[in-house]
Amino acid sequence: MNHLPQHPYPAPGQMPEPRTTGTWLRDHGPRIAPGLTTTTVLILARVWNANGAEHSIGNAILMGALSLGSAAAGYVSANGRHGHEIITATAFTGSGALALAGVAAYSDGLPLPLLLWVLATAAVYALAARHWREDKRDALAHDRTYALRSLERGTDLQIAAVDAQARIEVAREATAYATQLTAAILERHAISPGTIDTGQILASAGVPLPQLAPTVDTSRAA
């Protein structure tokens, strides 16, 4: 019963899901199913009543036995070690439906079957409302977690973007400085050739010079 629905909000750039009959039934079907189930049971029981089940002791005993058996299965599931809430709810719902069908099929008038239908529908909705509240709490928790993760992810992306932009600005400033230094050296060299020590200027500017491998005098070796 605890089922987390898909996130109701479309992703950025994603078109919202069109509203069709199928999507409407998917969203509202669980709300309609309990009333539709009890109504169907009442209609089938009255059809059975018109076809020989009215005041039939055998049919009443059969439906009573089936209802008690279903209730016993629900009790065992509720108190057993390996029970499950879905099995328990299904068993008790089936027991109520069988009891309603038996009484509605046995009775010769509509007041008692209609009264039982109202009581059964109210009981089913009361049981289902608890599960719907649990599903709503789970959905809200899921939405909060989704929003928190999205916010954390967006913050990480913003921090990474700011860091990348800072690195780009530093590299841009270093490139501009190197360009200006190169232009100044060339201009000084053009004005007074041979009077400028390029290595000293680069060293004072903090620009490391590559280390050249020592050369070997091959003439002496020959």
Side-chain angles (χ1 to χ4, degrees), residues 170-186 202 205 207:
V170 171
R172 186 178 300 169
E173 292 177 0
T175 303
Y177 177 75
T179 302
Q180 294 176 1
L181 181 61
T182 302
I185 293 174
L186 293 176
L202 294 176
V207 180

Side-chain angles (χ1 to χ4, degrees), residues 97-202:
L98 291 170
L100 171 62
V103 174
Y106 182 84
S107 302
D108 55 355
L110 282 177
L112 180 59
L114 288 177
L115 176 62
L116 291 178
W117 172 78
V118 171
L119 295 177
T121 303
V124 171
Y125 273 105
L127 293 175
R130 181 173 65 89
H131 296 286
W132 291 339
R133 286 193 297 269
E134 294 177 357
D135 290 344
K136 187 176 182 179
R137 285 195 296 267
D138 292 340
L140 290 176
H142 178 265
D143 289 342
R144 293 193 186 101
T145 303
Y146 180 88
L148 181 60
R149 295 289 175 83
S150 299
L151 180 61
E152 292 176 351
R153 184 60 177 168
T155 303
D156 293 339
L157 291 176
Q158 290 179 357
I159 293 174
V162 171
D163 184 65
Q165 186 65 29
R167 292 177 182 272
I168 292 173
E169 292 296 333
V170 171
R172 186 178 300 169
E173 292 177 0
T175 303
Y177 177 75
T179 302
Q180 294 176 1
L181 181 61
T182 302
I185 293 174
L186 293 176
E187 184 178 357
R188 177 69 179 274
H189 183 72
I191 296 174
S192 180
T195 61
I196 183 173
D197 188 353
T198 306
Q200 184 179 0
I201 295 176
L202 294 176

